[in-house]
Amino acid sequence: MCAQQDSPDPSQAERLKSLRVDQRPPLLLNLALALQHVLVQASLCALVVAALVHEDERERMAASVFFYSGISTLFQTSFGSCLPLVQAPSLDFLVPALVLFSGQTACRWQCDKSGDFVAPTHPVRELQGMAVVAGLVQLGVGLSGVGGAMQGQCGPLVLTPVLCMLGFSIYREAALLCSGHWGFALLTVVLLAGLSQHLRSWSLPARLRFLHVPTLSTLSVLLSMLLVWAVCAALHHCGHIRIHTVPELLLKRTDFNTTRIRSWAVENSSSLPSPDLTAPWLSLPFPGLGLPLLSGQGIAAGVAAGLSSCVSSSAAYVLSARLLKAPTPPAWACNRGLSVEGLGSVLAGLMGAPAGICSSVANACTLGLSQCGSRGTVQLSGVMLLILGMFLPLTQLLTSIPLAIHGAVLSVTYTVATATGITYLQYTDVDSGRNIFNTGFVVFMSLVLPRWFRMQLGFIHTSVPVLDVFLQSCLMLPMFLVGFLAFLLDHTVSGSLSERGLERDQSTMEIHSLADKQQGSVQSLEAVYQPPEPVRRLLRLPGLWLLPFCACRSPVMEKVVVTSPETFSLMHSDSR
């Protein structure tokens, strides 16, 4: 497209600086942006898989997560919300899994004293069962329409603390990864900030065919990770640095009670991983440990993970739409997105992945840094994830990135979510005592309570282990807490509509958010959220009009289906 031009085209240059969802960048830029999404997604995968899976199974499980994340990404961008969102495992699945393991450890210690203890089954199978349950919860919330209905009731004073906590929720884990080597983490952060902000207007020469695209800011994450990774590999090869693993870092922490992970630290190597040339090149990620295991505590942890992931994913939809200057996600698009994520989690759990799938917040924030929200780019990254999952040496190469680099990427990208949440305060009365209290109380409690309950894992004891795991998991999930508290306070503490950033439509008497009206969208609702024509035809079938599929159907589709028989009858009568 732009390779055939020798002189800069101002209109095309302006278009490439902020690509819309339905546009595609040039081929080379598209490949680079897709690779950038893959590397960002690998940061979350490295954290979750390394914390949950034994060293002997880590690479195979990482390949499985990459593979099913790629499938879910293709489904999400084609049949789900249709937003350019990469799918990945998240902390919403990590925290309940750690609670589940800690509860089993305590139960094992008590049962050993009485002599009635029965050895537990393989932990990965229980993680798979938890992922299946979480996926069923996501699927139920999406198909029933609860997700879209709840999101429609969230005004600016709900979105502000939710998006702020979306960025704050990973600060502990990001700091943990950065502690692997603070020097490389700091270098990565400096490069990311410099390339994305200070040099955001710099472009490659036109002869390189990127044609006035702000290359350094658009590819700031990719360039920073590759540069620091190369420096780290060179210094490690010379024997000047030592690379740590996640269990080794957890072993140094005193406020993270994860006995199971601590026991793995002794077995982990501290050398920089390198691809195993003896590993089979092509290996399909099919389950090798049997079907998922469903236990009472595993179901409780899966329900908590599913509820929290619904809050995180809904916030990710709003976040990505805000960064791309797209219309606010309608209820039917949110319902479709949650349903597709649920199917992805169920599929991943059944096929051997140790965690469920949801929208990656880090990749959504990367859209704001790169200013490129092309759906085609994200679909290409989904194909790359599929290839990574099938070729184990490529997975080994990608998992050899030092943890400090991953921690720096997560630290920078998640700040975009926090800053985006703050922007919603402009639609409210920021001097209102009600708004000041609600926002401060929700954010503070969502940070304090998970911190305290992490240190007191045995505090909740109701004599019902299933209920203990569920309550402990919910109270340790910041996104579940912030969503519950923000929604509760905004709808129970009295305040005027203008004070809350809302207005009433006099024609329909419906209440709308001022953020939806004043956002200044530059993209149409149909171009962003409408699925492909074959999917729309499928949803028009008469047998799919009943529940549970009506929550995933757009009003535009209903209008077409209702009026088409009338139009046909009129044409038939005219012909007579």
Side-chain angles (χ1 to χ4, degrees):
M1 182 171 60
C2 62
Q4 299 176 357
Q5 302 180 7
D6 296 326
S7 59
D9 184 0
S11 60
Q12 188 181 25
E14 185 65 26
R15 180 179 66 86
L16 291 175
K17 288 182 180 179
S18 183
L19 284 171
R20 295 185 296 183
V21 174
D22 55 344
Q23 293 178 338
R24 288 181 179 271
L27 178 59
L28 293 180
L29 182 60
N30 197 20
L31 291 172
L33 288 169
L35 180 59
Q36 178 173 257
H37 276 297
V38 171
L39 292 179
V40 173
Q41 196 263 7
S43 299
L44 286 172
C45 181
L47 173 61
V48 175
V49 174
L52 294 179
V53 182
H54 196 275
E55 176 70 20
D56 297 337
E57 304 170 350
R58 190 163 300 161
E59 293 176 350
R60 186 177 64 85
M61 288 299 168
S64 178
V65 169
F66 283 138
F67 184 82
Y68 295 107
S69 296
I71 293 179
S72 186
T73 298
L74 294 176
F75 284 172
Q76 182 68 255
T77 54
S78 301
F79 315 121
S81 65
C82 296
L83 285 166
L85 288 172
V86 177
Q87 306 296 290
S90 72
L91 299 181
D92 299 307
F93 299 96
L94 175 60
V95 173
L98 298 181
V99 174
L100 177 63
F101 288 157
S102 300
Q104 289 180 343
T105 303
C107 178
R108 186 183 304 116
W109 179 78
Q110 294 175 358
C111 295
D112 282 338
K113 295 174 59 177
S114 61
D116 298 331
F117 172 69
V118 178
T121 55
H122 201 286
V124 175
R125 292 181 58 197
E126 196 150 8
L127 289 174
Q128 296 172 11
M130 192 190 77
V132 171
V133 173
L136 292 177
V137 172
Q138 294 172 300
L139 188 62
V141 171
L143 292 180
S144 64
V146 175
M150 295 291 288
Q151 184 177 355
Q153 300 297 321
C154 294
L157 287 177
V158 177
L159 295 177
T160 293
V162 167
L163 291 178
C164 287
M165 189 52 57
L166 196 65
F168 292 147
S169 61
I170 204 172
Y171 78 96
R172 292 182 66 260
E173 288 74 15
L176 175 69
L177 296 180
C178 290
S179 64
H181 197 290
W182 283 104
F184 289 118
L186 180 60
L187 178 60
T188 307
V189 169
V190 170
L191 286 175
L192 274 170
L195 295 178
S196 63
Q197 304 302 319
H198 296 83
L199 299 177
R200 62 178 181 270
S201 299
W202 193 88
S203 304
L204 287 178
R207 68 186 64 180
L208 297 180
R209 303 305 183 189
F210 275 78
L211 194 62
H212 283 250
V213 177
T215 311
L216 293 185
S217 62
T218 302
L219 303 176
S220 57
V221 180
L222 175 65
L223 297 177
S224 301
M225 293 187 70
L226 293 180
L227 180 60
V228 180
W229 187 13
V231 174
C232 182
L235 292 178
H236 182 269
H237 180 73
C238 298
H240 296 298
I241 61 171
R242 180 177 181 271
I243 305 301
H244 298 278
T245 60
V246 169
E248 289 176 335
L249 299 178
L250 287 172
L251 193 62
K252 303 177 182 179
R253 300 294 295 267
T254 59
D255 60 339
F256 206 104
N257 188 4
T258 54
T259 308
R260 185 178 197 88
I261 298 180
R262 292 170 186 266
S263 64
W264 296 349
V266 181
E267 306 174 16
N268 287 329
S269 172
S270 59
S271 60
L272 188 68
S274 58
D276 184 9
L277 299 180
T278 61
W281 272 94
L282 182 61
S283 177
L284 296 179
F286 291 138
L289 300 174
L291 294 176
L293 176 66
L294 293 177
S295 63
Q297 296 182 2
I299 293 176
V303 172
L307 293 175
S308 182
S309 64
C310 288
V311 178
S312 300
S313 296
S314 299
Y317 301 157
V318 177
L319 171 64
S320 59
R322 182 79 175 179
L323 294 175
L324 297 174
K325 296 181 175 61
T328 303
W332 43 270
C334 179
N335 292 331
R336 280 207 314 260
L338 294 177
S339 301
V340 169
E341 290 182 12
L343 290 175
S345 296
V346 172
L347 177 63
L350 291 176
M351 301 304 292
I357 304 298
C358 67
S359 296
S360 171
V361 179
N363 289 92
C365 295
T366 304
L367 299 177
L369 295 176
S370 65
Q371 289 298 303
C372 178
S374 173
R375 186 186 296 120
T377 298
V378 175
Q379 291 174 341
L380 181 58
S381 67
V383 175
M384 289 183 177
L385 290 172
L386 285 175
I387 296 175
L388 279 173
M390 290 188 295
F391 292 91
L392 192 58
L394 296 180
T395 302
Q396 294 172 344
L397 177 64
L398 196 61
T399 54
S400 67
I401 300 177
L403 297 178
I405 300 178
H406 290 311
V409 170
L410 296 178
S411 300
V412 174
T413 53
Y414 270 76
T415 58
V416 177
T418 302
T420 305
I422 297 175
T423 62
Y424 278 91
L425 289 176
Q426 64 181 307
Y427 307 109
T428 66
D429 184 2
V430 294
D431 296 324
S432 170
R434 169 195 183 274
N435 297 346
I436 293 174
F437 173 80
N438 286 3
T439 304
F441 179 83
V442 169
V443 173
F444 186 80
M445 287 300 169
S446 300
L447 286 172
V448 170
L449 290 179
R451 166 78 175 182
W452 190 84
F453 278 101
R454 285 176 187 266
M455 302 170 62
Q456 306 291 334
L457 286 178
F459 179 78
I460 298 179
H461 183 68
T462 63
S463 300
V464 182
V466 174
L467 185 59
D468 293 344
V469 171
F470 176 75
L471 293 177
Q472 189 82 36
S473 300
C474 290
L475 292 173
M476 288 177 58
L477 287 168
M479 290 309 302
F480 176 82
L481 284 176
V482 72
F484 175 77
L485 293 177
F487 191 87
L488 178 66
L489 290 182
D490 191 45
H491 288 80
T492 56
V493 180
S494 61
S496 63
L497 292 180
S498 60
E499 188 180 12
R500 298 168 56 191
L502 306 174
E503 68 172 359
R504 186 183 301 275
D505 190 348
Q506 297 301 327
S507 60
T508 61
M509 300 305 294
E510 295 181 353
I511 298 177
H512 301 283
S513 172
L514 290 175
D516 300 341
K517 180 180 180 181
Q518 302 176 9
Q519 184 170 336
S521 303
V522 297
Q523 306 185 57
S524 64
L525 188 71
E526 292 77 12
V528 178
Y529 299 108
Q530 284 290 4
E533 182 61 27
V535 180
R536 283 182 277 179
R537 290 181 180 177
L538 178 64
L539 293 177
R540 293 172 191 166
L541 295 178
L544 300 181
W545 275 95
L546 301 176
L547 288 174
F549 296 97
C550 63
C552 301
R553 186 178 296 106
S554 66
V556 177
M557 297 179 191
E558 296 179 6
K559 181 177 180 181
V560 171
V561 176
V562 172
T563 57
S564 57
E566 300 177 358
T567 306
F568 176 78
S569 61
L570 290 175
M571 295 175 60
H572 186 65
S573 61
D574 292 339
S575 62
R576 290 183 178 180

